[in-house]
């Protein structure tokens, strides 16, 4: 499912609806890293994020991992046929860096 999030798309369905900027974002990387000590690490790199976008993306991926949904739900979310998963808790998110010089 994570590979379905990579690319340039309209991520409005993976946001709270508070849209002051363009909802088109480019996700460059979305990797699920092996769980250690009961923690699951999901690394996402993008040219920007919308309000709630990371939490909704991770929540959807968790539902896929828990077999509550099929990986095909991600294209269905983009098309508006299905809602995204429940937002993952904010306390688990960690910003590890920014690069304002990237082209």
């Amino acid at each position: 499912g994570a590979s379905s999030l990579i690319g340039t798309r309209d991520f409005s369905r993976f946001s709270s609806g508070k849209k002051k900027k363009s909802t088109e974002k480019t996700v460059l990387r979305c990797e699920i890293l092996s769980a250690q000590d009961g923690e699951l690490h999901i690394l996402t790199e993008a040219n920007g994020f919308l309000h709630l976008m990371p939490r909704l993306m991770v929540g959807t991926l968790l539902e896929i991992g828990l077999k509550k949904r099929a990986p095909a739900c991600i294209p269905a979310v983009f098309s508006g046929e299905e809602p995204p998963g429940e937002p993952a808790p904010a306390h688990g998110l960690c910003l590890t860096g920014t690069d304002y010089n990237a082209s």
Side-chain angles (χ1 to χ4, degrees):
S3 62
S4 298
L5 293 167
I6 296 172
T8 302
R9 297 185 172 75
D10 179 357
F11 277 87
S12 60
R13 302 278 180 190
F14 285 97
S15 74
S16 66
K18 298 177 183 179
K19 301 172 191 80
K20 293 182 181 176
K21 302 183 249 180
S22 170
T23 56
E24 184 176 282
K25 302 295 177 194
T26 301
V27 172
L28 304 166
R29 188 165 135 187
C30 187
E31 296 178 27
I32 300 173
L33 307 175
S34 61
Q36 297 175 349
D37 299 328
E39 292 183 2
L40 181 66
H41 295 257
I42 299 175
L43 179 62
T44 305
E45 182 180 351
N47 69 345
F49 291 98
L50 300 169
H51 187 256
L52 285 183
M53 183 176 149
R55 292 178 59 198
L56 289 167
M57 288 169 48
V58 169
T60 304
L61 291 173
L62 287 173
E63 288 181 6
I64 292 169
L66 293 170
K67 305 219 183 292
K68 293 180 179 180
R69 297 172 86 165
C73 76
I74 291 181
V77 172
F78 279 119
S79 69
E81 298 170 37
E82 290 188 31
E86 289 295 315
H91 68 272
L93 297 179
C94 180
L95 176 65
T96 60
T98 58
D99 184 357
Y100 295 103
N101 295 317
S103 51

